C-alpha cells in the first residue's frame, strides 16, 4: 500500500460522494428534457445547485456548472475579458498574479496571442503572497485599461493564502472585476463568495472529495460573461453542454461535506502538517520550507520544501519506489523538467527551485503516513543529491519557462 501525500493534485472521493454518484449513474434523463425522467434529473441538478450555493455563500443562480476547474478558469478569464471589451476596447489588460495555476495563466497568455490582450503579471513576495502595492500602482496608472484581475484564493504549490478581500476592495475603487481560483481553498479555509465581494470564483470537484471533470464558476448576478462554449444554451446560455446530473449531485455532496467538516479537518491536518514540517527540518539538513512561514497564511494541509543539490523529479521517483506519493509541483514540458514558475516568481534561485517537493495532506491522511515519509525521506534526499551532483552542470543550462519568468 502506498502512502498518498498528493491530495492537492486530487483527493480520494468521500464515501458519501461515491454513494450519490453511483445511485445517480443508474438513472436516465437529460436535465433539459421535458418528460418525467428529464424533470427528475433537472430536480437533482437544481437541488445540487442549491446545496453548492449554500456551502459557498452564493445564490443558486450564481452557480454556473462546468466540466472542472480548468474550464471555469477559462470561462472567467476569456468570458470576462470579451464582455468587458465589448463597448470599451481600451480595456485590454488582464492582471494575473505571477503564481497562478496554468488554468488561469495559459488562457490569459492565449488571449494575448489571439485576442489583443496585454498581460500584467502581478508580483508576489518571497512567501508567494500577492504584492498589493504593485496592484495599486498598476490600477492607479492604467486602471481604465484593465479588463479583469485574477488572483487565486490559495496557491496550489506553496499553499500561500492571498489577500482576496483587500484585493477586491482595491479593484472596486477602479471598477475592475475580480476572479479568484478557489480550487485549493474550498474545504480547507473559510470561503464565502458573497462576503468576499468577488465577481467570479472557480471551484473543482476532485479537490474536495468529489468526482473529476466537474466544477463550477460562481459568477455574481449581473456579471457580464461572454460564453466560451456554444451549443444548447444550458446554464443561462453561459455554458452550453448537457448537464452531468450524477457528477453534479456528487460534487455538491462533496462540497457540502468538506465545507461542513472544514474546521475539524483543518485543525487535524494542520497539526499533522506542522509535525511533518518540524521533522523534515530536523532530519534533512538543507531542507527549506517554501511559502508562508506563518501557518495562518498558508493552507493547513500544505508542506512545500526545496532540497538543495537535488532534482525534485529524482526525489519524487525515489520516494515513489519506496511507496510514498507526492509531487514536485513544477510543470514538465515536453519531458524537460522546468523549475516552477511559482518558485521563480518568489525569487527562488533556479537551481534551488529544481529541488522542489510538495507534500499535501487530505481527509485520509494519518500520523502513520508522516512516519512512513520520515523513514525514507532522509535517505532518498541523500541519494538524489548524489545523483544531482552528476547531472547538475547539464541541468543548469536548461532555461526557465519564458512565459512567466
Ligand atoms: N486551479 C488550481 C489552483 C488547481 O490546483 C487545479 C488543479 O490542479 C486547477 C485549477 C484545475 O482544476 P481541474 O483539475 O478541475 O481542471
Amino acid at each position: 500500500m502506498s502512502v498518498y501525500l498528493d491530495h492537492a493534485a486530487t483527493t480520494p472521493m468521500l464515501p458519501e460522494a461515491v454513494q450519490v454518484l453511483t445511485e445517480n449513474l443508474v438513472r436516465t434523463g437529460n436535465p433539459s428534457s421535458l418528460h418525467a425522467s428529464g424533470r427528475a434529473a433537472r430536480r437533482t441538478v437544481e437541488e445540487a445547485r442549491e446545496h453548492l450555493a449554500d456551502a459557498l455563500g452564493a445564490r443558486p443562480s450564481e452557480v454556473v456548472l462546468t466540466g472542472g476547474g480548468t474550464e471555469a478558469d477559462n470561462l472567467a478569464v476569456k468570458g470576462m475579458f470579451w464582455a468587458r471589451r465589448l463597448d470599451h476596447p481600451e480595456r485590454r489588460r488582464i492582471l494575473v498574479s505571477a503564481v497562478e495555476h496554468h488554468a488561469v495563466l495559459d488562457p490569459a497568455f492565449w488571449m494575448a496571442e489571439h485576442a489583443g490582450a496585454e498581460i500584467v503579471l502581478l508580483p508576489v513576495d518571497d512567501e508567494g503572497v500577492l504584492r498589493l502595492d504593485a496592484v495599486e500602482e498598476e490600477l492607479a496608472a492604467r486602471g481604465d485599461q484593465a479588463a479583469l484581475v485574477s488572483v487565486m484564493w490559495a496557491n496550489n504549490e506553496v499553499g500561500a493564502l492571498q489577500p482576496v478581500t483587500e484585493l477586491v476592495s482595491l479593484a472596486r475603487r477602479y471598477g475592475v472585476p475580480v476572479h479568484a481560483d478557489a480550487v485549493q481553498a474550498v474545504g480547507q479555509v473559510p470561503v464565502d463568495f458573497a462576503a468576499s465581494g468577488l465577481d467570479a470564483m472557480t471551484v473543482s470537484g476532485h479537490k474536495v472529495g468529489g468526482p473529476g471533470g466537474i466544477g463550477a464558476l460562481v459568477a455574481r448576478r449581473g456579471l457580464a460573461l461572454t460564453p466560451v462554449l456554444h451549443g444548447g444554451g444550458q446554464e443561462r446560455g453561459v455554458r452550453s453542454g448537457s448537464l452531468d446530473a450524477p457528477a453534479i449531485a456528487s460534487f455538491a455532496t462533496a462540497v457540502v461535506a468538506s465545507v461542513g467538516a472544514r474546521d475539524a479537518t483543518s485543525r487535524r491536518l494542520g497539526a499533522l502538517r506542522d509535525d511533518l514540517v518540524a521533522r523534515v527540518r530536523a532530519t534533512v539538513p538543507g531542507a527549506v520550507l517554501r511559502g508562508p512561514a506563518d501557518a495562518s497564511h498558508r493552507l493547513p494541509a500544505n508542506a512545500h520544501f526545496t532540497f538543495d543539490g537535488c532534482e525534485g523529479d529524482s526525489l519524487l521517483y525515489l520516494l515513489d519506489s519506496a511507496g510514498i506519493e507526492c509531487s514536485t509541483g513544477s510543470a514538465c514540458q515536453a519531458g524537460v523538467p522546468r523549475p516552477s514558475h511559482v518558485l521563480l516568481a518568489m525569487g527562488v534561485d533556479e537551481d534551488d527551485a529544481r529541488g522542489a517537493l510538495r507534500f499535501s495532506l487530505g481527509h485520509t491522511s494519518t500520523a502513520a503516513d508522516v512516519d512512513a515519509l520520515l523513514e525514507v525521506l532522509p535517505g532518498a534526499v541523500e541519494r538524489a543529491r548524489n545523483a544531482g551532483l552528476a547531472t547538475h552542470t547539464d541541468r543548469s543550462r536548461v532555461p526557465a519557462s519564458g512565459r512567466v519568468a
Side-chain angles (χ1 to χ4, degrees):
M1 265 289 277
S2 56
V3 171
Y4 190 71
L5 296 173
D6 202 14
H7 290 261
T10 195
T11 196
M13 281 186 71
L14 294 166
E16 53 268 56
V18 173
Q19 194 188 335
V20 169
L21 181 68
T22 48
E23 275 169 16
N24 280 279
L25 278 174
V26 293
R27 296 195 180 134
T28 302
N30 185 322
S32 297
S33 296
L34 299 178
H35 47 61
S37 298
R39 293 198 307 274
R42 169 60 62 183
R43 252 195 318 280
T44 301
V45 167
E46 295 313 320
E47 277 171 24
R49 195 191 305 279
E50 278 171 27
H51 293 144
L52 280 167
D54 195 42
L56 298 169
R59 297 182 180 132
S61 60
E62 293 175 319
V63 177
V64 179
L65 295 157
T66 66
T70 301
E71 189 196 315
D73 282 343
N74 271 262
L75 174 59
V77 172
K78 296 173 182 170
M80 285 162 78
F81 176 83
W82 276 316
R84 289 261 300 161
R85 281 201 82 184
L86 274 182
D87 46 1
H88 287 276
E90 74 281 7
R91 292 174 181 162
R92 62 181 174 278
R93 291 169 81 79
I94 299 180
L95 282 57
V96 286
S97 92
V99 296
E100 290 305 298
H101 190 275
H102 280 290
V104 164
L105 280 180
D106 288 19
F109 277 93
W110 189 90
M111 295 301 273
E113 260 177 57
H114 301 280
E118 281 174 22
I119 306 299
V120 180
L121 278 185
L122 303 169
V124 295
D125 65 17
D126 59 0
E127 294 193 332
V129 178
L130 178 71
R131 281 194 29 218
L132 285 166
D133 59 323
V135 186
E136 173 130 44
E137 200 178 308
E138 165 65 23
L139 289 175
R142 285 170 292 271
D144 55 333
Q145 297 169 30
L148 67 126
V149 186
S150 181
V151 172
M152 65 209 318
W153 198 302
N155 183 264
N156 50 302
E157 291 188 29
V158 299
L161 298 173
Q162 302 297 352
V164 171
T165 326
E166 293 88 334
L167 173 67
V168 167
S169 47
L170 179 55
R172 219 175 237 172
R173 294 213 313 262
Y174 297 89
V176 182
V178 182
H179 163 252
D181 176 333
V183 164
Q184 296 286 340
V186 171
Q188 292 219 37
V189 292
V191 171
D192 185 313
F193 180 70
S196 72
L198 282 167
D199 296 277
M201 181 176 92
T202 293
V203 189
S204 167
H206 70 114
K207 311 285 186 175
V208 293
I214 187 76
L217 183 70
V218 183
R220 174 180 60 73
R221 267 221 302 237
L223 176 72
L225 268 179
T226 301
V228 171
L229 295 184
H230 302 90
Q234 290 89 346
E235 299 299 272
R236 294 180 281 132
V238 176
R239 195 274 185 184
S240 285
S242 294
L243 292 167
D244 184 348
I248 292 164
S250 178
F251 170 40
T253 302
V255 169
V256 169
S258 63
V259 168
R262 190 197 57 234
D263 281 349
T265 312
S266 303
R267 249 196 315 278
R268 185 178 78 79
L269 296 183
L272 216 51
R273 187 271 318 273
D274 291 346
D275 181 48
L276 185 158
V277 169
R279 288 166 68 186
V280 169
R281 284 171 148 167
T283 54
V284 185
V288 179
L289 181 74
R290 301 293 178 179
D294 180 342
S296 67
H297 294 155
R298 141 180 233 135
L299 287 172
N302 169 287
H304 183 291
F305 291 95
T306 57
F307 300 95
D308 62 331
C310 284
E311 284 288 341
D313 286 348
S314 314
L315 203 42
L316 185 146
Y317 293 127
L318 284 167
L319 289 175
D320 188 37
S321 62
I324 309 283
E325 297 175 329
C326 62
S327 146
T328 59
S330 67
C332 185
Q333 286 165 9
V336 181
R338 307 268 185 195
S340 145
H341 68 282
V342 173
L343 293 178
L344 296 182
M346 289 161 59
V348 176
D349 167 78
E350 249 189 59
D351 279 345
D352 285 340
R354 286 181 199 290
L357 224 48
R358 177 189 69 186
F359 305 107
S360 51
L361 308 173
H363 62 97
T364 55
S365 300
T366 63
D369 294 341
V370 177
D371 292 345
L373 169 69
L374 268 299
E375 248 173 56
V376 298
L377 184 67
V381 171
E382 207 179 308
R383 282 181 64 193
R385 279 187 177 139
N386 291 337
L389 280 179
T391 57
H392 178 80
T393 328
D394 293 342
R395 285 280 192 236
S396 62
R397 289 205 205 102
V398 178
S401 162
R403 291 181 303 158
V404 288

